Amino acid sequence: MRRGVPGLGGLSPIVLYVVLFALLPPCLLFAEAWSSQGGAAGLSGVLADPLNRAALGNSLIQGALSSVVVVAIGYPAGVFLGRYSFSGREAILALFSVPFLLPSLVVVAGVEDLFGPSGFLSVPIPGLRALGSGLGGILLVNACFNLPLVALLTAVGVESSDPAREEAIAVLGGGPGRAYREVWGPPSWVGAGAGALLTFLFSSMAFAAPLIVCGPRCYTLEARIFTLDQQLVQPATAALLAMSAVALLAVPTAIYLLLVTRLRDRTPVGTARNRPIPWRRPVGWALAGATAVTVALVAAVAGAVAERALLAPSTGGAGLFSPALTQRLGISTSAALGNTMFFAAGAAGIAVLFGLLAGFVLRIRPSWSRPVQFLLFLPLLISPIILSFSLAEFWRPLLGGESTVWLLILLSQATLALPFATQSLWVGLRRVPASFGEGARLLGARPITAFLDTELPLARGALVSAALLAFALGLGEFTATYFLATPRFTTWTVELYRLQSLRDYAAADQLAFALLALSFVSFLGLLVGGRRVRL
Amino acid sequence: MSASELLRIRDLSSAWAGVPVLRHVSLEVAEGEFLALMGPNGSGKTTLLRLIAGLDEPTGGSVELRGRDLVGVPAHRRGIGMLFQDAQLFPERSVWENVAYGPQIQRRPAAEVESLVTEMLELLRLRSLADRRPEELSGGERQRAALARTLAPGPSVVLLDEPFASVDAELRREMRAEFRRVLSARRTAAIFVTHDRDEGLFLGDRVAVLLDGELRQTGSPADVFEHPIDERVARFLGYNIVPAPAGPMAVDPSELTLARSGEPGVSAAVVARGWSPQGTGLLVRAADGSVWEVVLPKDEVGPPVGSTVQIRWQRGVPLATSLDRDRPHME
């Protein structure tokens, strides 16, 4: 009996999904804009526009500066967490997952609450107002999101180094500097490098922070594309600018993929287990200080949102659910919550399903690792605005207009969560020895049965972690949802932005707090499972 | 294929990243036979088992089970059992559930599964451990449970990949006897992989020696041990290779002695001296650079390290000439 190509059945739906919902729509959008705008001449014209050039410059500057800032603080923090053992270490590692689970608007609200015109810190110390608006505010928001990520990725790199090699260097007379250069430094650089690139990708295409904290003078390409399509009704120009954005992101995305693959290929060995913090040396204090700064930033932002929400409302939660507000927004807060939960749960389901399919394919076809990874990480290249823009242009006419907006929101959230959910799942699956599945196959189980019966139960924690991560990402997703949503399909993040636009700050603070609480539930789920975000 | 021939492997080859791991291996296993596949670490033994099981794909050659070509048949449809070095029991399941897994996958009726599992647990004396999880078992119990699980679906042949590697010496002896007893009782053919010469020679109805991806020699344990086909096989079997006028000769360490004055011998330098259960052990380096192991009677202290001695031997096994040396020998 001859068999077909094993794994092809599992790979086909993944290819189909990525092509139909992540690859084809932007490609067709770009091709159409390219031909309608006169090809290269049209593109030159778009790039010659001073506002577009400013957006490109802002993307590069904000991306680069954010990367530098977060690596400067996040790298020592990551070394501290990856290398030393101390009580509370696991709690800090879990806490560092929080920003990634927080909606961007909540972080922006937190930064404004701390450093805005009436901020907790900027009122007593006016000099800190620079951190509540303009480029300073944007950098702070980006740092809040990405600082813990760089620290986590650096810690993973440090943990993957081999302690036996370090001991061998020590007994042969090599000092700490040599051990750093030859053993644990290089993997930590890989982790920090991956974190820096991820920071660049996120920050250069940030949407909420430039929009709210600074305004048009700080618009990134993402915000400018949104403006061109949604406000100035120039979709072809927006598409050509989006094409430039994809080209800009291609190289950092490729390098990030390379680095994160290296990181995943290394098995963590837990060097931190038995090494105490070197309090007698200045480096110990410096590393602990960087960690404390990161912890303080995360805690302060989350705390500011919580405190503002708890202090502000004289109306309790009633204002948020009042008929007057429903009339102004066109949707009730409870209906928006329903939308939020539906999209987040649906997106998590889709992302985990494809992550699982990919995991199964890689178990029986390890040699396909690179192409499958490339396929699933392709959405990283496509920012939320570009994805939603192209989905709307390509699929909305085919699917029948406004009534299918929900489907486009669901698909965009799922596609954006796909790389992160997959990565989280793969890290768990890689730790399950292949021989369990092989053993089941030798007992007569079909490959998929062997995978579901014997391998997946052992990666249950990673599965839960991936699902919660995808759910939390959907929960906080603002950019793509805002681009696509009509009032009927408004989510809480979109409602929050609209409340801020309407200057209903009391209701906005309450909603931000509710979003924070929802994210906290996801965080608790991760914490109970003893998991960390894997990127 | 003869009536009793169960498994036939022809010209099986495999490569990893372009580097050959197995080269044209041909081998037969008869019904109920226990074949010990011996070779040092890295010789390709596990690769050969994985190819037979269908877990990896060969670059060439064929595997036939009762005349049926298995190339292209996935592992779950081959009807071949395999026991891994570290048992790999499913940690989420009890011993009973592990043993029942195969028959349940075969969709056998519940009553039949129940009776089969009970039979297997009794055969391997695991009845009292049926409800335990793998982490609650000792190393030996885990291997016995793994064998019960492997045998439960009724495989035609069982592949045993160094199943005693992680158990201590005392338990190993017990496990060898247990495994032979059970496999004989079930009349199940087995290929047993080991890098331990004594274990392979003791357990195998036949033995096969795999070196650097090539099957160098097969035969009965006595035949292979007493007539190693070439230097490489002889070295693996623990022989010293000494020069003789008619060509190289394999000599057991116990057959090498120190020549007394006036007796003919080969000059060698003592490089190490130590204790061994058989007597004083010496390592000597001959003029051609080869190192020989010499065992002196227990009452002899032996010459000091650095001294030059004359070595002689009582008897040895003449090895194949250089012309024959690269030609693997089959029965």
Side-chain angles (χ1 to χ4, degrees):
Chain A
M1 190 187 299
R2 301 277 155 181
R3 55 182 162 169
V5 180
L8 207 56
L11 187 64
S12 307
I14 304 172
V15 174
L16 204 64
Y17 179 87
V18 172
V19 167
L20 287 180
F21 301 116
L23 198 57
L24 195 60
C27 286
L28 289 177
L29 180 73
F30 299 158
E32 198 180 317
W34 179 267
S35 65
S36 72
Q37 297 294 299
L43 181 64
S44 301
V46 168
L47 293 177
D49 182 299
L51 288 177
N52 296 342
R53 288 171 76 95
L56 179 62
N58 284 337
S59 279
L60 290 171
I61 289 168
Q62 288 172 27
L65 281 180
S66 301
S67 302
V68 170
V69 168
V70 300
V71 170
I73 305 171
Y75 181 74
V79 167
F80 186 73
L81 291 169
R83 203 158 158 74
Y84 303 113
S85 58
F86 54 92
S87 60
R89 177 177 174 270
E90 288 303 318
I92 292 177
L93 287 169
L95 180 73
F96 279 13
S97 303
V98 170
F100 199 70
L101 306 178
L102 283 182
S104 53
L105 287 181
V106 172
V107 174
V108 172
V111 167
E112 286 195 318
D113 287 343
L114 286 171
F115 301 106
S118 54
F120 292 116
L121 296 176
S122 55
V123 168
I125 314 168
L128 291 176
R129 276 194 194 151
L131 293 174
S133 62
L135 186 60
I138 291 173
L139 289 182
L140 192 63
V141 170
N142 289 341
C144 189
F145 269 122
N146 299 300
L147 196 47
L149 295 188
V150 171
L152 285 176
L153 285 165
T154 304
V156 169
V158 173
E159 284 176 348
S160 71
S161 67
D162 185 356
R165 276 191 63 201
E166 201 175 331
E167 285 163 6
I169 285 179
V171 296
L172 290 169
R178 183 171 288 273
Y180 174 70
R181 284 195 308 276
E182 295 185 10
V183 184
W184 65 274
S188 73
W189 303 333
V190 172
L197 286 163
L198 204 57
T199 303
F200 180 83
L201 291 173
F202 287 155
S203 305
S204 64
M205 297 304 277
F207 182 70
L211 197 70
I212 298 167
V213 176
C214 187
R217 73 186 165 87
C218 297
Y219 274 12
T220 57
L221 285 171
E222 189 83 333
R224 178 68 184 154
I225 293 164
F226 175 83
T227 307
L228 283 169
D229 183 66
Q230 297 278 293
Q231 291 169 2
L232 304 174
V233 199
Q234 296 175 18
T237 309
L240 283 181
L241 197 60
M243 199 167 88
S244 316
V246 169
L248 176 75
L249 298 185
V251 174
T253 305
I255 301 173
Y256 167 72
L257 276 186
L258 192 73
L259 293 180
V260 91
T261 306
R262 276 197 194 175
L263 211 53
R264 198 174 49 219
D265 288 346
R266 302 177 67 101
T267 310
V269 286
T271 54
R273 298 265 157 76
N274 299 312
R275 189 175 289 118
I277 302 166
W279 289 121
R280 290 184 179 180
R281 289 163 51 201
V283 70
W285 287 96
L287 296 175
T291 309
V293 166
T294 312
V295 171
L297 184 62
V298 174
V301 168
V305 173
E307 184 161 7
R308 179 76 74 183
L310 293 172
L311 290 180
S314 53
T315 54
L320 209 50
F321 295 94
S322 69
L325 189 65
T326 303
Q327 203 165 11
R328 286 171 78 190
L329 297 174
I331 187 170
S332 68
T333 299
S334 51
L337 172 63
N339 287 338
T340 307
M341 300 301 275
F342 170 74
F343 290 134
I350 294 171
V352 167
L353 177 69
F354 283 108
L356 273 179
L357 263 179
F360 166 63
V361 170
L362 294 190
R363 293 306 280 194
I364 57 172
R365 281 272 162 185
S367 59
W368 289 1
S369 168
R370 293 288 156 90
V372 171
Q373 176 173 280
F374 172 77
L375 205 62
L376 287 169
F377 279 72
L378 206 62
L380 268 185
L381 195 62
I382 302 156
S383 68
I385 284 289
I386 297 174
L387 179 68
S388 50
F389 178 24
S390 59
L391 280 176
E393 291 288 320
F394 181 76
W395 281 108
R396 197 178 280 168
L398 292 175
L399 291 173
E402 297 303 313
S403 59
T404 52
V405 163
W406 67 271
L407 185 59
L408 297 183
I409 296 175
L410 187 63
L411 290 171
S412 62
Q413 290 195 2
T415 306
L416 292 169
L418 193 57
F420 304 108
T422 303
Q423 172 75 356
S424 198
L425 197 54
W426 284 1
V427 169
L429 276 173
R430 279 181 66 87
R431 292 181 177 162
V432 179
S435 48
F436 286 117
E438 289 174 350
R441 281 156 62 197
L442 289 166
L443 292 168
R446 291 158 56 88
I448 185 71
T449 313
F451 177 71
L452 295 174
D453 275 359
T454 62
E455 296 179 306
L456 199 55
L458 298 177
R460 198 170 40 224
L463 181 69
V464 172
S465 181
L468 282 170
L469 177 60
F471 178 78
L473 289 173
L475 208 63
E477 210 292 316
F478 165 65
T479 313
T481 312
Y482 179 57
F483 188 97
L484 291 165
T486 56
R488 189 179 156 200
F489 297 112
T490 293
T491 61
W492 267 13
T493 52
V494 177
E495 185 182 342
L496 176 59
Y497 179 67
R498 292 180 68 195
L499 287 172
Q500 286 174 336
S501 304
L502 292 168
R503 300 183 185 282
D504 189 343
Y505 294 118
D509 280 335
Q510 288 164 16
L511 194 58
F513 180 69
L515 267 170
L516 187 67
L518 272 182
S519 303
F520 189 69
V521 172
S522 309
F523 162 68
L524 279 183
L526 286 171
L527 194 63
V528 167
R531 306 287 155 193
R532 279 191 255 159
V533 174
R534 302 282 183 183
L535 298 166
Chain B
M1 188 173 265
S2 70
S4 69
E5 201 171 285
L6 173 69
L7 185 73
R8 172 185 277 184
I9 295 156
R10 279 282 166 271
D11 279 331
L12 205 61
S13 298
S14 174
W16 179 254
V19 179
V21 178
L22 276 186
R23 280 177 284 230
H24 305 288
V25 171
S26 295
L27 190 66
E28 292 86 28
V29 179
E31 297 274 3
E33 185 179 35
F34 199 100
L35 176 82
L37 179 64
M38 304 192 299
N41 290 334
S43 58
K45 305 183 297 294
T46 298
T47 303
L48 178 58
L49 291 198
R50 292 179 64 85
L51 295 178
I52 296 170
L55 294 173
D56 293 329
E57 289 175 23
T59 51
S62 66
V63 178
E64 289 176 24
L65 186 68
R66 294 202 174 99
R68 175 188 173 221
D69 183 8
L70 292 182
V71 172
V73 176
H76 65 280
R77 294 202 182 114
R78 290 196 173 197
I80 292 176
M82 184 163 170
L83 200 147
F84 297 93
Q85 201 174 89
D86 44 2
Q88 297 290 12
L89 291 169
F90 306 139
E92 306 272 300
R93 295 166 190 256
S94 66
V95 169
W96 198 98
E97 289 166 334
N98 264 282
V99 180
Y101 186 83
Q104 283 169 342
I105 285 287
Q106 293 171 332
R107 296 179 190 281
R108 296 196 194 189
E112 194 182 327
V113 172
E114 176 83 37
S115 116
L116 189 56
V117 174
T118 306
E119 183 195 336
M120 283 298 140
L121 294 180
E122 274 177 2
L123 188 65
L124 281 140
R125 293 179 290 156
L126 290 163
R127 195 78 194 269
S128 60
L129 307 175
D131 295 328
R132 292 216 188 150
R133 296 280 170 134
E135 77 263 16
E136 297 170 313
L137 302 177
S138 69
E141 288 165 348
R142 268 201 289 272
Q143 286 298 4
R144 274 159 45 209
L147 181 62
R149 186 183 71 173
T150 306
L151 291 173
S156 308
V157 59
V158 172
L159 311 174
L160 306 164
D161 188 4
E162 305 216 33
F164 314 135
S166 52
V167 294
D168 58 54
E170 189 183 346
L171 193 57
R172 271 173 96 102
R173 281 196 291 274
E174 209 176 291
M175 297 291 290
R176 284 176 193 165
E178 185 86 344
F179 270 46
R180 278 293 334 226
R181 175 184 70 79
V182 171
L183 289 165
S184 300
R186 301 279 301 174
R187 298 187 57 75
T188 305
I191 299 181
F192 173 85
V193 154
T194 180
H195 65 267
D196 183 325
R197 177 195 73 168
D198 294 340
E199 189 170 82
L201 293 171
F202 177 80
L203 283 175
D205 294 326
R206 264 190 325 138
V207 296
V209 182
L210 190 69
L211 299 171
D212 296 331
E214 282 184 57
L215 197 62
R216 300 299 301 179
Q217 190 171 2
T218 58
S220 70
D223 264 357
V224 170
F225 186 72
E226 285 167 14
H227 305 289
I229 187 64
D230 60 18
E231 279 184 34
R232 288 160 68 200
V233 173
R235 280 187 202 282
F236 171 72
L237 293 172
Y239 284 105
N240 297 306
I241 309 301
V242 299
M249 187 175 278
V251 179
D252 189 81
S254 62
E255 299 290 344
L256 284 184
T257 55
L258 299 180
R260 291 177 189 161
S261 62
E263 281 182 342
V266 175
S267 182
V270 177
V271 292
R273 185 177 67 174
W275 184 90
S276 83
Q278 290 78 31
T280 302
L282 292 182
L283 290 180
V284 299
R285 191 184 299 280
D288 65 356
S290 57
V291 176
W292 302 332
E293 186 185 349
V294 182
V295 180
L296 303 178
K298 280 190 175 172
D299 52 350
E300 283 190 31
V301 178
V305 172
S307 60
T308 300
V309 293
Q310 295 294 309
I311 301 289
R312 61 190 288 267
W313 49 90
Q314 306 293 336
R315 57 188 171 144
V317 182
L319 295 171
T321 63
S322 57
L323 279 176
D324 297 329
R325 214 169 285 160
D326 292 328
R327 193 180 305 149
H329 168 75
M330 300 298 147
E331 293 165 304

